[in-house]
Amino acid sequence: MKRIAIIGSGIGGLTAGILLAQQGHSVTILEKNPVVGGKVASFRHDGFTFDLGPTLITLLEEMERIVPALTQMVRFLPVDPSCKYFWSDGTTYSTFTDPQKSAAETERVFPEDSGAVEQFLRDTGEIYRKTKALFLLKPFGPAQLANIRNAPMLPAMLRIHPLGTMAAELRRRFRSPKLRQLFGRFATYNGSSPYRAPSMLNVIASVELRMGAWYPAGGVRAIGIALAKIAASHGVAIHTDTEATGLLRSGQAIVGVQACGVRTGNLTVETDAVVSNGDARWTHQRLLAPVGVPTPRGLLKAERSCSGYLLLAAVRAGRLGLAHHNVFFSDDYPAEFADIFERRQLPRGMTIYLSISAFTDPQLAPEGWENWYILINAPASGIDHDNPEVQARYAQAVWERLERGFGIKPEIAWQVIMPARSIEQRYHSLDGAIYGTSSNSLQSAFLRPAHKVRGLKNFYLAGGSTHPGGGVPLAMLSGNMVAEYLRNGV
């Protein structure tokens, strides 16, 4: 039995804690915030419940495989259509898990591309099935990347030109610029630009559009609450309002340096191993560098993922033709991503994501009302993050865009702005980058920070900023990989 300290109670940390406790270890989780769950947080006010992080769940079968008790404690509700898309010329298009519904909708809106959409989803679905064991289910690094040329999935991968960008492949596949924009949107699922992210990330679309989309009853925070209860049932000690401020180390470089304790404001936790569920760069700069572990040069140079400008609103229910998940596209997608990643400013022509979770779970808003979660992709460390006047003006611009561009004018009781900087303050995600590093290059997409930290033989990383990436199921997979490292004594 080992004494293991986990810094942060996000999804990756909670998952690692459960699995390590099941192995017989003594596990302590240290959480800086007053509640568990990390980014699967919620905001409650006046009878309304809003998500503050993820709003959609995919890969439910992987989550159930890792922690079977989760789906016994949380009721996952299917969301179909998974999303409704809007363009300012009046075009609308909905995505369905059912292939027949999907084909009919494509034939209705984009008849010139009806066969191309089905072929694209078949190709990307096949690639996902053939590559998930390599890319998702176990650690991935330079050795695996170098050996892909000999892998059996290579012929399928070549069909989507993996060395090109997502946008380039979508231009090759589809005649309609609107469909290229729609499928390019999936780059934002890990905080990246479709004009720079590698084509392999096009597989994200098939995961949602063919394998199903889900929403947990009670809001996405229900997942964090359930995982914390499961962890406690296995003897994991969880301390909230307890921020890790430093590490203790022992040993000599020639023998092996290791972390022997974690300092907080009011206690020191002695450890045989440490797992950080915090942002990888924050962990290196704030915890590891002070004990002599150099920050990898690649991590320092890596471009940060995008952040987000979040607007929560209590809206009177109305007949506005909306779904649970909605996307209102900008008229100039390349300019939007140039604003985010090059000019580092809130996009002037914004794409608006709107989630109304009360459509699927009516308990999340009072009768006759809706809980609007509006998210705009924003730059990490952007110039507008700390300016309340800019944030307020931008909220007005969002409402004006919905009205003038799409004819959406809701009756608003109140609204709350959650600027990008709040993400850094709550979760130690440096610069407000939701996913750590972006995937705006082949290397950054597939060589994310490793789980095992060099320089300390007993220190590990988990969570969305490490492999395999952001989102609830991938964070759970990262926690599972860390537990496997410790199970195997690595």
Side-chain angles (χ1 to χ4, degrees), residues 164-171 180-181 183-188 192-199 202 333 337 341 440:
T165 65
M166 291 179 70
E169 177 65 7
L170 295 172
R171 285 194 302 270
R180 299 170 192 165
Q181 191 175 28
F183 285 107
R185 169 188 173 250
F186 287 94
T188 66
S192 306
S193 165
Y195 302 100
R196 295 169 57 192
S199 179
N202 279 314
Y333 220 33
F337 283 96
F341 287 105
N440 282 339

Side-chain angles (χ1 to χ4, degrees), residues 134-149:
L134 177 66
F135 289 131
L136 290 186
L137 304 186
K138 58 185 179 182
F140 187 85
Q144 290 83 1
L145 187 63
N147 290 330
I148 282 179
R149 64 181 182 274

Side-chain angles (χ1 to χ4, degrees), residues 186-260:
F186 287 94
T188 66
Y189 278 35
N190 62 15
S192 306
S193 165
Y195 302 100
R196 295 169 57 192
S199 179
M200 272 291 290
L201 295 189
N202 279 314
V203 301
I204 298 172
S206 66
V207 170
E208 178 178 316
L209 303 187
R210 281 294 177 264
M211 298 176 64
W214 309 86
Y215 188 78
V220 179
R221 183 168 178 259
I223 297 174
I225 294 172
L227 289 175
K229 289 180 178 178
I230 296 168
S233 72
H234 289 288
V236 176
I238 302 176
H239 300 275
T240 55
D241 291 309
T242 305
E243 181 171 3
T245 57
L247 298 176
L248 302 177
R249 52 167 278 183
S250 64
Q252 301 296 323
I254 194 170
V255 177
V257 179
Q258 62 183 18
C260 61

Side-chain angles (χ1 to χ4, degrees), residues 304-321:
R304 303 295 283 168
S305 79
C306 71
S307 186
Y309 172 97
L310 182 59
L311 183 62
L312 309 177
V315 171
R316 188 174 295 278
R319 297 180 179 273
L320 300 176

